[in-house]
Amino acid sequence: MDVPRPQRAHLPLAGGGGAEGSGRSGRSGRAGRTGGTGRAERADAADNRRRIMEAAARIVAEKGPGALTMNAVAQETGMGVGTVYRRFGDVAQLLFALLDEREKRFQEAFMTGPPPLGPDAPPLERLRAFLHALADRVTGQLDMMLAAETAAPSARYSSGAYATMHTHVTVLVTRVRPESDAALLAHMLLAPFTPSLTHHLTQDGGRTVDEIKAATDDLLLGIAHPR
Protein backbone atom coordinates (compact mmCIF):
# COMPACT_ATOMS: atom_id res chain seq x y z
CA MET A 1 0.00 0.00 0.00
CA ASP A 2 1.52 3.29 -1.07
CA VAL A 3 1.08 6.06 1.49
CA PRO A 4 2.26 9.61 0.73
CA ARG A 5 5.20 10.89 2.75
CA PRO A 6 4.42 13.74 5.14
CA GLN A 7 5.27 17.26 4.08
CA ARG A 8 7.54 19.27 6.35
CA ALA A 9 5.55 21.83 8.32
CA HIS A 10 6.60 24.20 11.05
CA LEU A 11 4.78 25.26 14.14
CA PRO A 12 2.11 27.90 13.48
CA LEU A 13 3.50 31.39 13.22
CA ALA A 14 1.37 34.48 13.31
CA GLY A 15 1.61 37.41 10.95
CA GLY A 16 2.65 35.59 7.78
CA GLY A 17 1.50 36.93 4.41
CA GLY A 18 -1.65 39.03 4.62
CA ALA A 19 -1.67 42.67 3.73
CA GLU A 20 2.09 42.98 4.12
CA GLY A 21 2.70 41.01 0.94
CA SER A 22 -0.25 42.20 -1.14
CA GLY A 23 1.05 45.46 -2.60
CA ARG A 24 -0.09 45.13 -6.24
CA SER A 25 0.68 48.07 -8.48
CA GLY A 26 -2.19 49.83 -10.17
CA ARG A 27 -1.64 52.44 -12.87
CA SER A 28 1.89 52.64 -14.21
CA GLY A 29 2.48 56.10 -12.77
CA ARG A 30 1.97 54.79 -9.24
CA ALA A 31 3.79 51.48 -9.58
CA GLY A 32 7.13 52.74 -8.28
CA ARG A 33 5.66 54.40 -5.21
CA THR A 34 3.46 51.40 -4.39
CA GLY A 35 6.33 48.93 -4.71
CA GLY A 36 8.64 51.07 -2.59
CA THR A 37 6.05 51.48 0.14
CA GLY A 38 5.31 47.76 0.14
CA ARG A 39 9.00 46.90 0.52
CA ALA A 40 9.39 49.37 3.37
CA GLU A 41 6.33 47.97 5.15
CA ARG A 42 7.64 44.42 4.78
CA ALA A 43 11.05 45.47 6.12
CA ASP A 44 9.42 47.17 9.11
CA ALA A 45 7.27 44.12 9.79
CA ALA A 46 10.29 41.79 9.63
CA ASP A 47 12.23 44.06 11.98
CA ASN A 48 9.33 44.17 14.44
CA ARG A 49 9.03 40.40 14.36
CA ARG A 50 12.75 39.98 15.02
CA ARG A 51 12.67 42.43 17.95
CA ILE A 52 9.61 40.74 19.44
CA MET A 53 11.20 37.29 19.14
CA GLU A 54 14.45 38.47 20.72
CA ALA A 55 12.58 40.13 23.59
CA ALA A 56 10.44 37.03 24.16
CA ALA A 57 13.52 34.79 24.19
CA ARG A 58 15.18 37.06 26.78
CA ILE A 59 12.10 36.99 29.02
CA VAL A 60 11.87 33.20 28.84
CA ALA A 61 15.61 32.77 29.49
CA GLU A 62 15.66 35.16 32.45
CA LYS A 63 12.28 34.57 34.08
CA GLY A 64 10.81 31.41 32.57
CA PRO A 65 7.90 30.85 30.14
CA GLY A 66 5.31 31.77 32.76
CA ALA A 67 6.56 35.37 32.74
CA LEU A 68 5.94 35.76 29.00
CA THR A 69 2.99 38.07 28.33
CA MET A 70 2.19 40.40 25.46
CA ASN A 71 2.50 43.38 27.83
CA ALA A 72 5.91 42.19 29.01
CA VAL A 73 7.13 41.91 25.41
CA ALA A 74 5.75 45.37 24.61
CA GLN A 75 7.62 46.86 27.56
CA GLU A 76 10.82 45.02 26.67
CA THR A 77 10.77 46.24 23.06
CA GLY A 78 9.30 49.69 23.63
CA MET A 79 6.53 48.87 21.15
CA GLY A 80 2.83 49.35 21.63
CA VAL A 81 1.08 46.22 22.81
CA GLY A 82 -1.18 46.45 19.73
CA THR A 83 1.88 46.00 17.50
CA VAL A 84 2.84 42.86 19.40
CA TYR A 85 -0.68 41.45 19.02
CA ARG A 86 -0.68 42.21 15.28
CA ARG A 87 2.50 40.20 14.78
CA PHE A 88 1.52 37.35 17.15
CA GLY A 89 -2.12 36.92 18.02
CA ASP A 90 -1.53 35.60 21.54
CA VAL A 91 1.10 34.23 23.90
CA ALA A 92 0.64 30.68 22.59
CA GLN A 93 1.56 31.72 19.05
CA LEU A 94 4.61 33.55 20.37
CA LEU A 95 5.72 30.48 22.31
CA PHE A 96 5.17 28.28 19.26
CA ALA A 97 7.35 30.64 17.24
CA LEU A 98 10.14 30.35 19.81
CA LEU A 99 9.88 26.56 19.56
CA ASP A 100 9.92 26.58 15.77
CA GLU A 101 13.69 26.45 15.17
CA ARG A 102 14.10 23.29 17.21
CA GLU A 103 11.05 21.82 15.51
CA LYS A 104 12.65 22.41 12.11
CA ARG A 105 15.72 20.42 13.15
CA PHE A 106 13.57 17.63 14.56
CA GLN A 107 11.57 17.37 11.33
CA GLU A 108 14.72 17.29 9.22
CA ALA A 109 16.08 14.47 11.38
CA PHE A 110 13.07 12.16 11.04
CA MET A 111 12.25 13.01 7.43
CA THR A 112 15.68 13.16 5.77
CA GLY A 113 18.27 12.27 8.43
CA PRO A 114 20.22 9.04 8.85
CA PRO A 115 18.57 5.81 10.01
CA PRO A 116 17.11 4.55 12.23
CA LEU A 117 15.29 7.89 12.72
CA GLY A 118 15.45 8.81 9.04
CA PRO A 119 14.65 6.78 5.91
CA ASP A 120 16.14 3.36 5.02
CA ALA A 121 15.37 1.73 8.37
CA PRO A 122 12.68 -0.97 8.87
CA PRO A 123 9.36 0.69 9.74
CA LEU A 124 9.09 -0.66 13.29
CA GLU A 125 12.67 0.29 14.09
CA ARG A 126 12.11 3.72 12.61
CA LEU A 127 8.88 4.20 14.56
CA ARG A 128 10.66 3.30 17.80
CA ALA A 129 13.48 5.74 17.03
CA PHE A 130 10.95 8.50 16.29
CA LEU A 131 9.05 8.04 19.55
CA HIS A 132 12.29 7.96 21.55
CA ALA A 133 13.46 11.15 19.83
CA LEU A 134 10.08 12.73 20.54
CA ALA A 135 10.46 11.90 24.23
CA ASP A 136 13.81 13.70 24.24
CA ARG A 137 12.34 16.61 22.28
CA VAL A 138 9.44 17.17 24.68
CA THR A 139 11.45 16.80 27.88
CA GLY A 140 14.19 19.04 26.48
CA GLN A 141 11.85 22.05 26.22
CA LEU A 142 9.15 20.93 28.59
CA ASP A 143 8.58 24.23 30.41
CA MET A 144 8.09 26.19 27.20
CA MET A 145 5.90 23.50 25.61
CA LEU A 146 3.79 23.28 28.75
CA ALA A 147 3.30 27.06 28.76
CA ALA A 148 2.20 26.95 25.11
CA GLU A 149 -0.25 24.13 25.82
CA THR A 150 -1.65 25.97 28.84
CA ALA A 151 -2.15 29.16 26.84
CA ALA A 152 -4.00 27.35 24.02
CA PRO A 153 -4.82 23.71 24.89
CA SER A 154 -6.24 22.70 21.50
CA ALA A 155 -3.62 24.48 19.37
CA ARG A 156 -1.38 21.39 19.40
CA TYR A 157 -3.80 19.40 17.28
CA SER A 158 -4.40 22.10 14.67
CA SER A 159 -0.72 22.90 14.22
CA GLY A 160 1.29 21.96 11.18
CA ALA A 161 3.89 20.31 13.42
CA TYR A 162 1.39 17.86 14.91
CA ALA A 163 -0.09 17.13 11.46
CA THR A 164 3.39 16.30 10.17
CA MET A 165 4.15 13.99 13.10
CA HIS A 166 0.75 12.31 12.84
CA THR A 167 1.15 11.67 9.12
CA HIS A 168 4.66 10.31 9.66
CA VAL A 169 3.52 7.90 12.39
CA THR A 170 0.46 6.88 10.35
CA VAL A 171 2.69 5.95 7.41
CA LEU A 172 4.95 3.83 9.60
CA VAL A 173 2.07 2.11 11.44
CA THR A 174 0.46 1.31 8.08
CA ARG A 175 3.64 -0.44 7.00
CA VAL A 176 3.86 -2.40 10.25
CA ARG A 177 0.15 -3.33 10.38
CA PRO A 178 -1.57 -2.67 7.04
CA GLU A 179 -4.96 -3.91 8.30
CA SER A 180 -5.09 -1.54 11.32
CA ASP A 181 -6.74 1.86 11.78
CA ALA A 182 -3.34 3.46 11.44
CA ALA A 183 -4.54 7.06 11.78
CA LEU A 184 -6.18 6.33 15.13
CA LEU A 185 -3.20 4.33 16.38
CA ALA A 186 -0.94 7.23 15.42
CA HIS A 187 -2.93 9.55 17.70
CA MET A 188 -2.68 6.98 20.49
CA LEU A 189 1.09 6.71 20.11
CA LEU A 190 1.53 10.50 20.14
CA ALA A 191 -0.81 11.08 23.09
CA PRO A 192 1.72 10.15 25.82
CA PHE A 193 3.92 13.02 24.66
CA THR A 194 1.54 15.87 25.38
CA PRO A 195 3.48 18.35 27.55
CA SER A 196 1.00 18.20 30.44
CA LEU A 197 1.22 14.40 30.72
CA THR A 198 4.99 14.42 30.33
CA HIS A 199 5.20 17.06 33.08
CA HIS A 200 2.96 14.97 35.33
CA LEU A 201 4.99 11.81 34.76
CA THR A 202 8.43 13.40 35.22
CA GLN A 203 7.78 16.12 37.79
CA ASP A 204 4.90 14.70 39.85
CA GLY A 205 5.44 10.99 39.27
CA GLY A 206 9.23 10.96 39.29
CA ARG A 207 9.44 8.99 36.07
CA THR A 208 12.59 9.20 33.99
CA VAL A 209 12.80 9.68 30.25
CA ASP A 210 14.22 6.15 29.95
CA GLU A 211 11.16 4.75 31.72
CA ILE A 212 8.87 6.63 29.34
CA LYS A 213 10.79 5.21 26.38
CA ALA A 214 10.56 1.68 27.80
CA ALA A 215 6.79 2.02 28.21
CA THR A 216 6.58 3.25 24.62
CA ASP A 217 8.42 0.11 23.52
CA ASP A 218 5.74 -1.98 25.23
CA LEU A 219 3.05 -0.11 23.27
CA LEU A 220 4.92 -0.83 20.04
CA LEU A 221 5.07 -4.54 20.87
CA GLY A 222 1.29 -4.55 21.02
CA ILE A 223 1.12 -3.02 17.54
CA ALA A 224 3.77 -5.29 16.05
CA HIS A 225 2.41 -8.49 17.64
CA PRO A 226 -1.33 -8.09 18.26
CA ARG A 227 -3.24 -10.85 20.02
Side-chain angles (χ1 to χ4, degrees):
M1 176 178 179
D2 293 329
V3 183
R5 293 181 61 188
Q7 297 298 309
R8 183 177 294 120
H10 304 152
L11 288 164
L13 303 183
E20 293 168 8
S22 62
R24 287 177 288 181
S25 61
R27 288 185 287 266
S28 58
R30 299 179 60 185
R33 289 196 298 274
T34 301
T37 301
R39 284 192 294 272
E41 288 174 350
R42 287 193 293 273
D44 288 344
D47 183 62
N48 284 344
R49 186 180 189 281
R50 177 187 59 77
R51 290 171 56 200
I52 291 169
M53 291 284 291
E54 290 175 352
R58 284 195 300 271
I59 292 169
V60 170
E62 294 171 5
K63 302 177 183 178
L68 186 64
T69 66
M70 305 304 254
N71 284 331
V73 172
Q75 292 176 2
E76 182 77 13
T77 59
M79 296 179 184
V81 69
T83 300
V84 180
Y85 272 105
R86 279 193 295 274
R87 294 303 302 157
F88 297 91
D90 54 33
V91 171
Q93 292 185 32
L94 187 49
L95 285 165
F96 279 134
L98 290 174
L99 290 164
D100 190 54
E101 279 303 316
R102 180 122 179 224
E103 181 65 26
K104 290 177 188 175
R105 294 195 295 272
F106 180 54
Q107 289 180 5
E108 288 169 357
F110 72 74
M111 293 178 71
T112 61
L117 184 56
D120 300 325
L124 185 61
E125 184 179 346
R126 193 176 177 196
L127 184 55
R128 179 177 185 268
F130 172 80
L131 294 175
H132 283 208
L134 183 57
D136 291 331
R137 161 110 179 87
V138 174
T139 54
Q141 287 188 300
L142 183 56
D143 287 346
M144 195 179 299
M145 287 188 169
L146 185 62
E149 180 187 356
T150 301
S154 63
R156 165 183 172 85
Y157 303 104
S158 59
S159 70
Y162 185 83
T164 299
M165 290 192 298
H166 180 262
T167 301
H168 180 65
V169 174
T170 299
V171 168
L172 294 177
V173 171
T174 299
R175 291 173 180 166
V176 174
R177 279 187 62 189
E179 77 286 359
S180 70
D181 186 343
L184 180 58
L185 286 175
H187 283 302
M188 297 299 99
L189 288 172
L190 291 171
F193 302 102
T194 55
S196 54
L197 179 56
T198 301
H199 181 271
H200 171 69
L201 291 174
T202 57
Q203 304 302 312
D204 302 330
R207 297 291 188 172
T208 66
V209 178
D210 286 341
E211 287 177 316
I212 293 172
K213 291 178 180 178
T216 301
D217 289 346
D218 288 341
L219 292 177
L220 289 177
L221 283 175
I223 291 176
H225 305 289
R227 296 184 210 179

